[in-house]
Amino acid sequence: MKIQRVVLASRPGNDREPMAENFHLEHVTLSEEMTEGQILARTLFLSVDPYLRCRLNEDTGADYIQPWTISEVVDSGGIGVVEESRTTELVPGDLVISFNWPWQTKCILNGSSLKKLDPNLVDGHLSHFLGAVGLTGLTALLGIKEKGHLVSGANQTMVVSGAAGACGSLAGQIGNILGCSYIVGICGTDQKCAVLMSELGFHNALNYKEEGLAEKLRLCCPNGVDVYFDNVGGEISDTVINQMNPNSHIILCGQISQYNKDVPYPPPLCSRTEAFLRENNITRERFMVLNYTEQFDSCIAQLSQWMRTGKLKVKETIVYGLENTAGAFISMMTGGNIGKQIVQVSE
């Protein structure tokens, strides 16, 4: 069986941006024999996410993910359809998901590592299982619930950085649903700002590439910031943190601006910002969605209900073809997407 696959050709090295040359598209024969408990699946969708940048390094800097191996197939979240099965749990035609799906057009997988999907949960939009009704949505919802410390009726202001990305675009909406009275998004283009306010319910949006971010944030948040959903880190986060109120909370979701740098995770703050945190009793704890697996089923049901009733709007940037997966990843790392970046491998 002839297939295509993407392997890791090289590592970018520390303090360098990933390039197309780090990946290689191969045309090979899938010669592996299926054994009991395995299935043959055709890949439908793949997810590319910021945390994958860590897997390009020999040392990921994180204790919960493993680095990709040179000359071996890379993997990420993926959805496929079962074509052949050697397990009683899955039959041809079943839709399945894995968070370690190989970047291949077809693959043989252990049935026990897969979760069967119900397309009714997403009104048939299967790619949403990799975003709004998957780990991305769970990260936004559980991050706010567990680390945001929202108080009903407290007139709280939330700022979201990376607000037009996969997680940020959901986090702002969820903060609104859960009672935040004022939501401000920070992103990198005027077009993204317009989408946040006209389509996703953000009350204000700021383009960090324009001058005067600190002053603009001060003007649109005159009562300070109570909750900061941080997807970015770096100078943007320093700017937001220094306008946060005493006893406020940072949801440390991601640090995409720092992933190309040779720094530990979470990256250290500058000494001035660190001192500001201590003086104002501001919490900044690393958030790991995988620590809350017991809440996954109920939260997925909630996310699905919000999505199907129109409370939660989903934005996606979709590219087509396995050969474009590496390019989609590189584009996402430089802000080329609005919402979740998805690769559709087959119909």
Side-chain angles (χ1 to χ4, degrees):
M1 184 184 302
K2 300 293 184 181
I3 67 165
Q4 293 179 319
R5 68 182 189 181
V6 177
V7 301
L8 182 65
S10 60
R11 302 189 191 278
N14 293 328
D15 300 324
R16 294 184 181 179
E17 295 182 2
M19 302 180 296
E21 292 76 14
N22 299 134
F23 302 90
H24 179 60
L25 179 70
E26 295 182 339
H27 296 76
V28 298
T29 299
L30 186 63
S31 56
E32 183 181 348
E33 293 288 335
M34 284 177 58
T35 60
E36 199 64 33
Q38 292 185 321
I39 59 100
L40 171 68
R42 174 167 53 87
T43 305
L44 300 177
F45 298 99
L46 292 170
S47 171
V48 292
D49 304 280
Y51 81 90
L52 296 176
R53 174 61 183 87
C54 302
R55 301 191 68 188
L56 279 167
N57 293 343
E58 195 163 10
D59 178 7
T60 65
D63 54 12
Y64 62 97
I65 51 174
Q66 296 298 313
W68 286 324
T69 302
I70 297 289
S71 299
E72 292 193 3
V73 178
V74 296
D75 62 283
S76 63
I79 294 170
V81 58
V82 176
E83 292 195 334
E84 298 179 32
S85 176
R86 295 285 299 274
T87 172
T88 57
E89 304 300 318
L90 298 167
V91 299
D94 282 346
L95 298 163
V96 290
I97 189 171
S98 169
F99 299 117
N100 300 104
W101 196 285
W103 288 12
Q104 296 183 179
T105 49
K106 293 190 178 185
C107 47
I108 293 173
L109 302 168
N110 290 323
S112 60
S113 69
L114 304 170
K115 181 179 179 180
K116 185 177 175 181
L117 298 176
D118 177 6
N120 293 318
L121 283 174
V122 291
D123 286 341
H125 297 286
L126 298 179
S127 58
H128 291 355
F129 282 115
L130 295 172
V133 189
L135 273 185
T136 307
L138 288 168
T139 298
L141 176 54
L142 285 165
I144 292 170
K145 284 180 60 180
E146 298 296 329
K147 301 296 184 182
H149 303 279
L150 301 190
V151 178
S152 179
N155 199 32
Q156 290 173 294
T157 293
M158 174 187 285
V159 172
V160 182
S161 59
C167 196
S169 62
L170 298 172
Q173 297 181 77
I174 292 170
N176 212 349
I177 293 169
L178 296 182
C180 264
S181 58
Y182 193 64
I183 311 290
V184 177
I186 300 175
C187 55
T189 70
D190 290 342
Q191 178 199 7
K192 291 179 178 180
C193 288
V195 169
L196 293 180
M197 291 189 290
S198 65
E199 300 182 38
L200 303 184
F202 284 68
H203 299 98
N204 213 326
L206 303 175
N207 182 348
Y208 72 86
K209 293 182 180 178
E210 295 181 349
E211 292 184 3
L213 176 61
E215 181 59 26
K216 291 175 182 177
L217 184 64
R218 192 171 290 108
L219 288 172
C220 71
C221 302
N223 297 318
V225 177
D226 302 298
V227 183
Y228 174 37
F229 198 102
D230 185 7
N231 290 301
V232 172
E235 292 182 7
I236 293 173
S237 289
D238 288 341
T239 298
V240 177
I241 291 169
N242 281 282
Q243 296 189 31
M244 295 186 73
N245 293 321
N247 305 310
S248 54
H249 304 283
I250 300 167
I251 303 165
L252 186 55
C253 178
Q255 302 279 277
I256 191 171
S257 74
Q258 306 299 297
Y259 288 163
N260 290 328
K261 300 178 181 179
D262 184 18
V263 294
Y265 189 86
L269 296 169
C270 72
S271 57
R272 176 172 173 264
T273 302
E274 191 70 59
F276 186 85
L277 288 182
R278 290 194 303 270
E279 292 164 5
N280 290 277
N281 193 35
I282 298 170
T283 63
R284 180 182 182 257
E285 301 174 27
R286 176 180 174 182
F287 172 71
M288 287 282 296
V289 70
L290 296 178
N291 290 338
Y292 302 93
T293 54
E294 73 283 355
Q295 298 186 51
F296 278 14
D297 287 345
S298 62
C299 286
I300 285 173
Q302 180 66 84
L303 291 163
S304 172
Q305 192 268 336
W306 283 339
M307 188 196 70
R308 287 183 288 112
T309 57
K311 279 189 172 183
L312 189 65
K313 295 178 174 60
V314 181
K315 302 296 290 185
E316 290 181 318
T317 299
I318 300 179
V319 301
Y320 298 88
L322 183 74
E323 68 275 12
N324 294 315
T325 308
F329 167 67
I330 293 168
S331 174
M332 179 271 307
M333 287 297 296
T334 55
N337 58 301
I338 295 180
K340 180 70 176 178
Q341 179 70 67
I342 294 287
V343 178
Q344 183 167 349
V345 177
S346 66
E347 296 291 333

mmCIF file of all heavy atoms in Angstrom, residues 6 12 26-27 46 49-50 85 105 108 117 132 209 230 237 247 252 270 282 285 292 320:
data_model
loop_
_atom_site.group_PDB
_atom_site.id
_atom_site.type_symbol
_atom_site.label_atom_id
_atom_site.label_comp_id
_atom_site.label_asym_id
_atom_site.label_seq_id
_atom_site.Cartn_x
_atom_site.Cartn_y
_atom_site.Cartn_z
ATOM 1 N N VAL A 6 5.336 12.237 6.716
ATOM 2 C CA VAL A 6 6.265 13.334 7.001
ATOM 3 C C VAL A 6 7.185 12.898 8.130
ATOM 4 O O VAL A 6 6.715 12.487 9.202
ATOM 5 C CB VAL A 6 5.511 14.620 7.398
ATOM 6 C CG1 VAL A 6 6.506 15.727 7.752
ATOM 7 C CG2 VAL A 6 4.585 15.074 6.270
ATOM 8 N N PRO A 12 15.846 22.563 14.214
ATOM 9 C CA PRO A 12 16.240 23.953 13.968
ATOM 10 C C PRO A 12 17.378 24.417 14.856
ATOM 11 O O PRO A 12 18.116 25.335 14.500
ATOM 12 C CB PRO A 12 14.966 24.753 14.241
ATOM 13 C CG PRO A 12 14.003 23.833 14.875
ATOM 14 C CD PRO A 12 14.484 22.432 14.705
ATOM 15 N N GLU A 26 7.863 11.873 2.452
ATOM 16 C CA GLU A 26 8.301 10.630 1.834
ATOM 17 C C GLU A 26 7.126 9.891 1.216
ATOM 18 O O GLU A 26 6.000 9.951 1.722
ATOM 19 C CB GLU A 26 8.963 9.709 2.873
ATOM 20 C CG GLU A 26 10.247 10.253 3.466
ATOM 21 C CD GLU A 26 10.885 9.280 4.445
ATOM 22 O OE1 GLU A 26 10.174 8.391 4.962
ATOM 23 O OE2 GLU A 26 12.099 9.414 4.676
ATOM 24 N N HIS A 27 7.401 9.178 0.125
ATOM 25 C CA HIS A 27 6.447 8.263 -0.484
ATOM 26 C C HIS A 27 6.980 6.852 -0.235
ATOM 27 O O HIS A 27 8.057 6.493 -0.728
ATOM 28 C CB HIS A 27 6.315 8.519 -1.987
ATOM 29 C CG HIS A 27 5.754 9.874 -2.311
ATOM 30 N ND1 HIS A 27 6.509 11.027 -2.222
ATOM 31 C CD2 HIS A 27 4.517 10.245 -2.720
ATOM 32 C CE1 HIS A 27 5.754 12.066 -2.560
ATOM 33 N NE2 HIS A 27 4.552 11.623 -2.865
ATOM 34 N N LEU A 46 -5.391 16.589 10.703
ATOM 35 C CA LEU A 46 -4.285 16.694 11.642
ATOM 36 C C LEU A 46 -4.309 18.073 12.283
ATOM 37 O O LEU A 46 -4.704 19.056 11.654
ATOM 38 C CB LEU A 46 -2.941 16.483 10.938
ATOM 39 C CG LEU A 46 -2.660 15.070 10.413
ATOM 40 C CD1 LEU A 46 -1.413 15.070 9.541
ATOM 41 C CD2 LEU A 46 -2.505 14.076 11.555
ATOM 42 N N ASP A 49 -0.052 22.643 16.530
ATOM 43 C CA ASP A 49 -0.212 23.467 17.724
ATOM 44 C C ASP A 49 1.135 24.018 18.169
ATOM 45 O O ASP A 49 2.182 23.420 17.892
ATOM 46 C CB ASP A 49 -0.809 22.626 18.856
ATOM 47 C CG ASP A 49 -2.129 21.984 18.455
ATOM 48 O OD1 ASP A 49 -3.150 22.689 18.490
ATOM 49 O OD2 ASP A 49 -2.123 20.798 18.089
ATOM 50 N N PRO A 50 1.130 25.137 18.906
ATOM 51 C CA PRO A 50 2.393 25.747 19.326
ATOM 52 C C PRO A 50 3.302 24.824 20.136
ATOM 53 O O PRO A 50 4.526 24.883 19.986
ATOM 54 C CB PRO A 50 1.926 26.946 20.167
ATOM 55 C CG PRO A 50 0.605 27.321 19.586
ATOM 56 C CD PRO A 50 -0.033 26.006 19.214
ATOM 57 N N SER A 85 -10.134 -3.630 10.544
ATOM 58 C CA SER A 85 -10.042 -3.743 11.993
ATOM 59 C C SER A 85 -9.756 -5.176 12.414
ATOM 60 O O SER A 85 -10.344 -6.121 11.881
ATOM 61 C CB SER A 85 -11.346 -3.268 12.643
ATOM 62 O OG SER A 85 -11.305 -3.449 14.052
ATOM 63 N N THR A 105 -0.738 9.449 5.406
ATOM 64 C CA THR A 105 -2.051 9.388 4.759
ATOM 65 C C THR A 105 -2.863 8.194 5.264
ATOM 66 O O THR A 105 -4.086 8.277 5.376
ATOM 67 C CB THR A 105 -1.903 9.320 3.238
ATOM 68 O OG1 THR A 105 -0.940 8.298 2.892
ATOM 69 C CG2 THR A 105 -1.437 10.669 2.675
ATOM 70 N N ILE A 108 -1.340 2.213 10.597
ATOM 71 C CA ILE A 108 -1.797 1.104 11.435
ATOM 72 C C ILE A 108 -1.592 1.515 12.889
ATOM 73 O O ILE A 108 -0.490 1.893 13.292
ATOM 74 C CB ILE A 108 -1.027 -0.184 11.110
ATOM 75 C CG1 ILE A 108 -1.385 -0.657 9.692
ATOM 76 C CG2 ILE A 108 -1.349 -1.278 12.134
ATOM 77 C CD1 ILE A 108 -0.551 -1.825 9.212
ATOM 78 N N LEU A 117 -15.394 8.498 18.046
ATOM 79 C CA LEU A 117 -16.034 9.808 18.060
ATOM 80 C C LEU A 117 -17.509 9.720 17.670
ATOM 81 O O LEU A 117 -17.899 8.894 16.838
ATOM 82 C CB LEU A 117 -15.328 10.753 17.083
ATOM 83 C CG LEU A 117 -13.862 11.054 17.381
ATOM 84 C CD1 LEU A 117 -13.270 11.909 16.276
ATOM 85 C CD2 LEU A 117 -13.707 11.730 18.736
ATOM 86 N N ALA A 132 -12.336 23.142 19.315
ATOM 87 C CA ALA A 132 -13.306 23.628 20.306
ATOM 88 C C ALA A 132 -13.857 22.530 21.193
ATOM 89 O O ALA A 132 -14.187 22.766 22.359
ATOM 90 C CB ALA A 132 -14.451 24.343 19.590
ATOM 91 N N LYS A 209 1.331 44.972 17.411
ATOM 92 C CA LYS A 209 2.376 45.426 16.498
ATOM 93 C C LYS A 209 2.345 46.941 16.289
ATOM 94 O O LYS A 209 3.289 47.509 15.729
ATOM 95 C CB LYS A 209 2.255 44.696 15.159
ATOM 96 C CG LYS A 209 2.558 43.202 15.260
ATOM 97 C CD LYS A 209 2.478 42.514 13.925
ATOM 98 C CE LYS A 209 2.780 41.020 14.067
ATOM 99 N NZ LYS A 209 2.657 40.297 12.782
ATOM 100 N N ASP A 230 -2.825 33.982 29.419
ATOM 101 C CA ASP A 230 -1.542 34.233 28.762
ATOM 102 C C ASP A 230 -1.181 33.090 27.817
ATOM 103 O O ASP A 230 -0.860 31.987 28.247
ATOM 104 C CB ASP A 230 -0.452 34.404 29.830
ATOM 105 C CG ASP A 230 0.890 34.791 29.231
ATOM 106 O OD1 ASP A 230 0.954 35.056 28.017
ATOM 107 O OD2 ASP A 230 1.881 34.848 29.989
ATOM 108 N N SER A 237 3.294 40.048 27.684
ATOM 109 C CA SER A 237 2.853 39.658 29.022
ATOM 110 C C SER A 237 3.374 40.613 30.087
ATOM 111 O O SER A 237 2.664 40.931 31.049
ATOM 112 C CB SER A 237 3.286 38.219 29.320
ATOM 113 O OG SER A 237 2.528 37.319 28.540
ATOM 114 N N ASN A 247 -4.043 40.880 43.949
ATOM 115 C CA ASN A 247 -4.785 39.625 44.164
ATOM 116 C C ASN A 247 -5.450 39.111 42.887
ATOM 117 O O ASN A 247 -6.418 38.352 42.952
ATOM 118 C CB ASN A 247 -5.838 39.798 45.260
ATOM 119 C CG ASN A 247 -5.248 40.320 46.551
ATOM 120 O OD1 ASN A 247 -4.254 39.785 47.043
ATOM 121 N ND2 ASN A 247 -5.836 41.389 47.092
ATOM 122 N N LEU A 252 -1.614 30.682 33.042
ATOM 123 C CA LEU A 252 -0.408 30.461 32.243
ATOM 124 C C LEU A 252 -0.658 29.290 31.302
ATOM 125 O O LEU A 252 -0.389 28.140 31.611
ATOM 126 C CB LEU A 252 0.786 30.190 33.156
ATOM 127 C CG LEU A 252 2.152 30.074 32.498
ATOM 128 C CD1 LEU A 252 2.462 31.298 31.664
ATOM 129 C CD2 LEU A 252 3.223 29.862 33.547
ATOM 130 N N CYS A 270 11.007 38.924 33.644
ATOM 131 C CA CYS A 270 12.056 39.887 33.984
ATOM 132 C C CYS A 270 11.928 40.238 35.466
ATOM 133 O O CYS A 270 10.863 40.090 36.074
ATOM 134 C CB CYS A 270 11.955 41.128 33.099
ATOM 135 S SG CYS A 270 10.556 42.204 33.456
ATOM 136 N N ILE A 282 -0.112 38.447 43.008
ATOM 137 C CA ILE A 282 -0.719 37.965 41.764
ATOM 138 C C ILE A 282 -0.274 36.530 41.529
ATOM 139 O O ILE A 282 0.921 36.230 41.543
ATOM 140 C CB ILE A 282 -0.307 38.852 40.571
ATOM 141 C CG1 ILE A 282 -0.806 40.286 40.787
ATOM 142 C CG2 ILE A 282 -0.851 38.298 39.261
ATOM 143 C CD1 ILE A 282 -0.247 41.288 39.789
ATOM 144 N N GLU A 285 0.499 30.421 37.947
ATOM 145 C CA GLU A 285 0.807 29.006 38.081
ATOM 146 C C GLU A 285 0.721 28.334 36.720
ATOM 147 O O GLU A 285 -0.155 28.621 35.917
ATOM 148 C CB GLU A 285 -0.192 28.328 39.026
ATOM 149 C CG GLU A 285 -0.224 28.906 40.427
ATOM 150 C CD GLU A 285 -1.334 28.284 41.245
ATOM 151 O OE1 GLU A 285 -1.719 27.140 40.956
ATOM 152 O OE2 GLU A 285 -1.834 28.949 42.168
ATOM 153 N N TYR A 292 -6.493 17.341 34.694
ATOM 154 C CA TYR A 292 -7.928 17.437 35.004
ATOM 155 C C TYR A 292 -8.752 16.480 34.147
ATOM 156 O O TYR A 292 -9.882 16.771 33.782
ATOM 157 C CB TYR A 292 -8.400 18.884 34.793
ATOM 158 C CG TYR A 292 -7.651 19.879 35.634
ATOM 159 C CD1 TYR A 292 -6.531 20.536 35.129
ATOM 160 C CD2 TYR A 292 -8.032 20.147 36.947
ATOM 161 C CE1 TYR A 292 -5.821 21.432 35.911
ATOM 162 C CE2 TYR A 292 -7.325 21.040 37.725
ATOM 163 C CZ TYR A 292 -6.218 21.677 37.202
ATOM 164 O OH TYR A 292 -5.514 22.561 37.983
ATOM 165 N N TYR A 320 -5.009 22.102 2.925
ATOM 166 C CA TYR A 320 -5.348 20.786 2.388
ATOM 167 C C TYR A 320 -4.092 20.071 1.891
ATOM 168 O O TYR A 320 -3.243 20.669 1.234
ATOM 169 C CB TYR A 320 -6.368 20.934 1.253
ATOM 170 C CG TYR A 320 -7.666 21.541 1.720
ATOM 171 C CD1 TYR A 320 -7.842 22.920 1.742
ATOM 172 C CD2 TYR A 320 -8.699 20.737 2.193
ATOM 173 C CE1 TYR A 320 -9.024 23.487 2.202
ATOM 174 C CE2 TYR A 320 -9.875 21.288 2.658
ATOM 175 C CZ TYR A 320 -10.033 22.657 2.664
ATOM 176 O OH TYR A 320 -11.198 23.219 3.126
#
